[in-house]
Amino acid sequence: MEYSPSSAEVLGILSRTHKVSTHAIPERLTPAGSGRLYWRILLEDKSTIIVMYFEKDRPENSYFAHIGLFLNELNVPSPRIWGDYTEEGWLVIEDVGDVSLRDAVGGRLDTNHPASLKLYQDTLRAVKLLHEKGTQLFHLKPFTLMHGFDESVYLWETNYFWKNCLYDRLQLVDSAQPSGALAEEFNQLASELSTLERVLVHRDFQSHNVQVKQGEVHLIDFQGMRFGLPEYDLASLLYDPYVAIQETDRQILLDYYSLNTFRKNGPRRKVFLQCAAQRLMQACGAYGFLSLQKGKTQYLEYIPPAIHRLKMVLEELDELKCLQQVLKRIPNLTQELGTKQS
């Protein structure tokens, strides 16, 4: 993002919705990986509020306000939209703090710790509300969203992983695109997932996109919401490379989501694992892209846990055999990344 608005512009936008103190100074916030700009401003009543600026080079940014208002109406815990100036590239939104779900649990989930367990349960209840009631409400009040998950989107994710992680970042393969039996595996996975019934999904449902303020969770970065599989959101959270989760705790949380779910017997195990493979590949592709193309090398540390989780998922799933063989070429990924970074 080349353009950086001045403090006067930020305060000018805020003054449309709130009384701004003459002593107010916008505090620039810099979320990791975000293509949007945020400022926190202290109001006269000592509360704080967020002003967001975005350029329209990414269409999903222009959907943020409408989706936010939809979530507000649905009572999905998320920031309130106080001022919508999308045509100008500005929003005024509720301040839901600086503490992510990952921060709140210290990067490791222990379901024996009541406070941590409750945060994850609340997060799952929030996304379940989107999957169920949100889908119903959307059909009554439809609006524009990003293109839903279909074969083309699933294949985009696997190609993104192949090029940005395996080819560019790890230099593990000789071609920037999968071919032969590997391409067939990815095509088969995309074909199977694309035939299943879709619901509204968050799309980037991981611990950095859940904020915790005064013990309450809030979903953020929801501008990529679209139609997809509920298992994709569940896998995104429960195989999240940012948080260590034991398999027994993962199952406890899956069972919690399944209580009174709209689908008999809850999430389907095979589909859950297939979605986990998809999501972990997408995440590895993003880490490779952000570290190489954007210079955000802090994302390198998440490739090893993501690859480890991907190997685990593929072993249980007993699919994508060719990909499993490729991943076996990485005996010590942490050391491998350290060498390539230096």
Side-chain angles (χ1 to χ4, degrees), residues 176-218:
Q177 295 291 326
S179 60
L182 278 155
E184 278 301 310
E185 287 186 342
F186 291 148
N187 287 331
Q188 179 65 28
L189 178 60
S191 177
E192 287 188 27
L193 292 178
S194 64
T195 62
L196 302 173
E197 182 182 359
R198 302 181 302 176
V199 300
L200 277 183
V201 296
H202 181 284
R203 169 63 177 92
D204 195 12
F205 191 57
Q206 40 94 352
S207 60
H208 280 151
N209 285 338
V210 180
Q211 294 294 99
V212 180
K213 185 175 183 181
Q214 297 177 345
E216 301 294 327
V217 301
H218 305 268

Side-chain angles (χ1 to χ4, degrees), residues 35-286:
R36 298 168 295 281
L37 301 179
Y38 296 85
W39 294 263
R40 173 177 288 123
I41 299 101
L42 182 66
L43 300 175
E44 287 191 333
D45 64 0
K46 305 304 181 183
S47 65
T48 56
I49 201 160
I50 299 294
V51 174
M52 181 178 91
Y53 172 77
F54 59 89
E55 293 180 346
K56 297 180 181 178
D57 54 337
R58 298 181 64 177
E60 63 264 34
N61 285 333
S62 64
Y63 304 153
F64 191 104
H66 205 139
I67 294 173
L69 292 168
F70 174 79
L71 295 177
N72 294 167
E73 180 180 357
L74 196 59
N75 290 321
V76 170
S78 55
R80 293 282 169 181
I81 307 295
W82 297 125
D84 176 11
Y85 311 108
T86 296
E87 291 303 313
E88 301 170 62
W90 294 92
L91 293 174
V92 180
I93 61 178
E94 180 185 2
D95 185 359
V96 292
D98 298 313
V99 179
S100 70
L101 179 60
R102 179 196 182 280
D103 297 332
V105 300
R108 178 176 297 275
L109 174 63
D110 180 0
T111 56
N112 291 317
H113 187 268
S116 296
L117 176 60
K118 181 180 184 301
L119 289 176
Y120 266 81
Q121 289 175 333
D122 290 349
T123 300
L124 288 171
R125 278 206 309 273
V127 83
K128 186 173 179 178
L129 182 57
L130 172 64
H131 294 164
E132 297 182 353
K133 302 297 184 183
T135 301
Q136 296 170 12
L137 180 60
F138 181 87
H139 287 310
L140 295 174
K141 300 179 178 181
F143 54 91
T144 303
L145 293 172
M146 292 294 290
H147 183 76
F149 276 97
D150 58 14
E151 281 193 61
S152 67
V153 175
Y154 290 123
L155 288 173
W156 180 90
E157 287 188 338
T158 50
N159 287 333
Y160 185 67
F161 160 68
W162 189 270
K163 180 183 186 302
N164 290 288
C165 183
L166 297 185
Y167 180 72
D168 287 340
R169 180 73 269 176
L170 300 181
Q171 300 174 15
L172 194 65
V173 294
D174 297 328
S175 172
Q177 295 291 326
S179 60
L182 278 155
E184 278 301 310
E185 287 186 342
F186 291 148
N187 287 331
Q188 179 65 28
L189 178 60
S191 177
E192 287 188 27
L193 292 178
S194 64
T195 62
L196 302 173
E197 182 182 359
R198 302 181 302 176
V199 300
L200 277 183
V201 296
H202 181 284
R203 169 63 177 92
D204 195 12
F205 191 57
Q206 40 94 352
S207 60
H208 280 151
N209 285 338
V210 180
Q211 294 294 99
V212 180
K213 185 175 183 181
Q214 297 177 345
E216 301 294 327
V217 301
H218 305 268
L219 308 192
I220 63 170
D221 277 8
F222 40 69
Q223 65 281 346
M225 190 177 83
R226 65 192 70 192
F227 274 85
L229 300 178
E231 288 89 351
Y232 189 96
D233 272 350
L234 295 174
S236 299
L237 183 71
L238 299 181
Y239 281 102
D240 180 4
Y242 300 126
V243 177
I245 301 178
Q246 296 296 319
E247 182 58 35
T248 52
D249 291 340
R250 191 176 286 123
Q251 190 58 52
I252 287 171
L253 292 169
L254 270 178
D255 291 342
Y256 180 83
Y257 175 93
S258 299
L259 292 173
N260 303 312
T261 192
F262 65 95
R263 179 176 285 113
K264 187 177 181 181
N265 298 325
R268 299 152 290 190
R269 184 66 185 175
K270 179 182 177 181
V271 177
F272 175 65
L273 293 171
Q274 288 175 319
C275 286
Q278 275 286 153
R279 173 61 183 188
L280 287 165
M281 285 189 279
Q282 186 277 334
C284 287

